[in-house]
């Protein structure tokens, strides 16, 4: 099977969107068979090593590169990487992406594209739609973004060969909101990358010093987008510090970047920030690992999520999670998080205090979190993605889909 994927948003700094693209590239490459071919479009600042996409430290690339089975990629599949400068906005989907797809020889069976498809495309599209938050929370998006998403995503989802999405919640939402046939919408769950070794005391001390973090802390990790509900989380942490003595010395660390330069959520929070809250901006993957492992708990108060990866990342590091009980979050977290109404400040504060200070509650969350991570495995992502692509291409499914991958 010949699959092309537009992964040029890797390196964009768009948080979950970039993480999702990395996960799908990894699943494509790790599950490819010797007779498969993958064409991967990356930005000039990215490269493929094995089944990982990494950012270059140097300048622009030198065009297409061929990676074969000798490097451990895809069991001997042919993987061709093309690098091109990614330009934001409509130019990418109007000109650059269609031009790249048209240049591919032989012609791919499918193109995997994120959120939008090329305006004109010479091959069938597998469109990844991670969520429909712009349909349900329109006020959380700038008008121009909201209008574009509402106008294009519905139309392109209907015309695509099939639609990929990242949770059962989103699959049901796409079927209900857009009236898509259920057999055209495929659930491909994400996974948390294995965290590797626990950070050393030296590494943690260096990160703390560099980012100005002292003492015990709880963390929010994600974009500073209005739907993330950060204001309620700040109130909840302040309440927990006031009402629970064991929380009084905890800092609330907020790690993430503001989208679109819109200050409505992050900027407003900064202007009225109470004592004990530290905004540290977007962090690297390495710092993310250290901070999640060092935190006493993760607070994830979002009003709308298509998946919500930070809770799984925290669970992978034995860090308890307090999260909202709406959209996909209960599906992803199961019994491995304390789930609360995203509008109930006091319930969030009490849950946070329990996750941090109650040894029995904390031990139960850590134990359940380890089991939850096993449920959302890289093998499951790989199996679901290749199964969906074979269904869209109407090709027999090969033996790559194992019983372990179907868990």
């Amino acid at each position: 099977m010949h699959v092309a994927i537009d992964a040029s948003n890797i390196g964009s700094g768009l948080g979950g969107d970039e993480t999702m693209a990395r996960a799908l590239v990894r699943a494509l490459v790790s599950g490819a068979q010797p007779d498969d071919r993958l064409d991967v479009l990356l930005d000039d600042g990215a490269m493929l090593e094995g089944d990982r996409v990494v950012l270059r430290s140097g300048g622009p690339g030198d065009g297409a590169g061929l990676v074969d089975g000798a490097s451990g990629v895809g069991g001997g599949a042919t993987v061709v990487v093309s690098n091109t400068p990614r330009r934001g906005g409509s130019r990418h989907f109007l000109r650059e992406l269609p031009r790249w797809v048209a240049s591919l020889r032989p012609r791919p069976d499918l193109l995997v594209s994120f959120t939008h498809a090329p305006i004109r495309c010479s091959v069938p599209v597998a469109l990844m739609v991670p969520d429909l938050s712009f349909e349900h929370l329109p006020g959380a998006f700038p008008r121009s973004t909201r209008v574009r998403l509402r106008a294009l995503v519905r139309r392109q989802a209907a015309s695509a060969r099939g639609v990929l999405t990242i949770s059962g919640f989103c699959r049901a939402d796409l079927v209900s909101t857009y009236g898509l046939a259920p057999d055209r919408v495929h659930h491909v769950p994400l996974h948390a990358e294995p965290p590797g070794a626990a950070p050393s005391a030296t590494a943690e001390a260096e990160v703390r010093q560099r980012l100005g973090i002292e003492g015990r802390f709880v963390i929010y990790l994600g974009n500073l987008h209005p739907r993330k509900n950060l204001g309620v989380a700040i109130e909840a942490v302040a309440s927990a510090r006031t009402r629970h003595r064991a929380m009084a010395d905890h800092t609330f660390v907020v790690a993430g970047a503001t989208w679109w330069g819109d200050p409505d959520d992050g900027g407003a929070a900064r202007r009225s920030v109470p004592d004990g809250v530290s905004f540290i901006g977007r962090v690297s993957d390495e710092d993310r690992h250290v901070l999640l492992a060092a935190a006493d708990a993760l607070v994830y108060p979002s009003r709308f999520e298509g998946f919500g990866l930070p809770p799984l990342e925290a669970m992978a590091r034995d860090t308890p999670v307090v999260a909202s009980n709406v959209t996909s979050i209960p599906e992803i977290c199961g019994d491995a998080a304390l789930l609360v109404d995203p509008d109930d400040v006091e319930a969030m504060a009490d849950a946070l205090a329990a996750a941090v200070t109650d040894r029995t509650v904390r031990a139960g969350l850590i134990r359940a979190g380890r089991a939850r991570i096993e449920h959302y495995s890289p093998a499951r992502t790989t199996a679901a993605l290749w199964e969906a692509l074979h269904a869209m291409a109407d090709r027999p499914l090969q033996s790559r889909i194992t019983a372990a991958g179907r868990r």
Side-chain angles (χ1 to χ4, degrees):
M1 188 171 176
H2 184 181
V3 179
I5 182 169
D6 173 22
S8 58
N9 64 346
I10 293 176
S12 64
L14 290 179
D17 287 354
E18 182 177 350
T19 302
M20 176 179 61
R22 287 179 186 268
L24 263 63
V25 169
R26 183 183 305 111
L28 273 178
V29 174
S30 64
Q33 298 294 303
D35 57 347
D36 291 324
R37 176 186 171 105
L38 306 177
D39 277 281
V40 184
L41 181 64
L42 295 175
D43 184 76
D44 267 343
M47 62 185 295
L48 191 65
E49 288 184 356
D51 61 356
R52 300 184 307 119
V53 177
V54 297
L55 300 183
R56 287 192 179 95
S57 58
D62 54 1
L66 178 65
V67 184
D68 61 26
S71 64
V73 174
T78 299
V79 182
V80 179
V81 177
S82 299
N83 290 96
T84 187
R86 169 67 185 255
R87 296 176 176 85
S90 60
R91 180 171 177 175
H92 178 73
F93 293 98
L94 282 169
R95 296 180 57 187
E96 294 165 358
L97 184 55
R99 184 179 301 166
W100 175 70
V101 173
S103 74
L104 298 178
R105 298 290 184 276
R107 181 177 181 268
D109 297 302
L110 288 169
L111 167 70
V112 179
S113 188
F114 294 88
T115 304
H116 294 308
I119 299 303
R120 299 173 307 282
C121 191
S122 56
V123 304
V125 173
L127 183 66
M128 168 56 80
V129 181
D131 67 71
L132 296 180
S133 54
F134 54 88
E135 297 282 4
H136 301 295
L137 296 178
F141 293 80
R143 183 178 182 278
S144 60
T145 302
R146 179 177 68 248
V147 169
R148 168 176 54 81
L149 290 169
R150 284 183 153 186
L152 291 180
V153 175
R154 180 186 293 267
R155 181 192 317 162
Q156 292 179 337
S159 62
R161 175 65 61 86
V163 176
L164 306 170
T165 195
I166 52 181
S167 64
F169 163 80
C170 286
R171 181 177 181 273
D173 194 18
L174 281 157
V175 170
S176 174
T177 302
Y178 285 170
L180 300 175
D183 63 356
R184 293 188 59 247
V185 186
H186 303 267
H187 172 200
V188 179
L190 301 181
H191 60 270
E193 291 188 44
S200 66
T202 300
E204 180 180 335
E206 187 278 326
V207 171
R208 282 178 172 273
Q209 182 177 16
R210 175 162 42 83
L211 298 177
I213 301 171
E214 298 180 356
R216 300 178 67 182
F217 66 95
V218 296
I219 192 168
Y220 164 82
L221 188 64
N223 288 311
L224 307 189
H225 184 283
R227 66 186 170 92
K228 300 294 189 175
N229 198 30
L230 185 58
V232 169
I234 290 174
E235 291 183 47
V237 175
S239 176
R241 285 165 52 93
T242 300
R243 296 193 297 111
H244 300 274
R245 181 178 300 177
M247 291 287 298
D249 63 345
H250 278 68
T251 299
F252 184 25
V253 173
V254 178
T258 302
W259 276 24
W260 306 304
D262 184 344
D264 288 350
D265 190 77
R270 284 181 177 86
R271 287 192 295 273
S272 58
V273 62
D275 291 340
V277 180
S278 176
F279 286 85
I280 61 173
R282 185 171 185 262
V283 295
S284 68
D285 289 345
E286 292 78 12
D287 287 355
R288 183 187 189 100
H289 171 47
V290 172
L291 291 170
L292 280 172
D296 281 348
L298 172 81
V299 187
Y300 203 69
S302 183
R303 297 183 185 278
F304 200 106
E305 287 296 326
F307 189 87
L309 196 57
L312 289 183
E313 293 176 321
M315 293 173 196
R317 293 158 176 84
D318 286 348
T319 300
V321 174
V322 174
S324 60
N325 61 359
V326 297
T327 63
S328 69
I329 298 173
E331 172 190 342
I332 306 308
C333 292
D335 63 354
L338 299 181
L339 303 177
V340 298
D341 184 328
D343 293 313
D344 192 332
V345 172
E346 299 311 319
M348 195 177 297
D350 290 342
L352 183 58
V356 171
T357 66
D358 188 313
R359 292 183 179 180
T360 301
V361 171
R362 187 175 182 84
L365 290 173
I366 291 172
R367 185 167 54 251
R370 292 172 180 171
R372 203 66 186 163
I373 286 300
E374 292 298 317
H375 180 70
Y376 286 100
S377 65
R380 188 180 177 204
T381 305
T382 298
L385 178 59
W386 276 104
E387 187 171 16
L389 296 178
H390 273 268
M392 291 182 203
D394 195 23
R395 296 277 186 93
L397 191 63
Q398 299 180 37
S399 59
R400 79 187 86 213
I401 309 303
T402 65
R406 288 183 183 276
R407 289 185 302 171

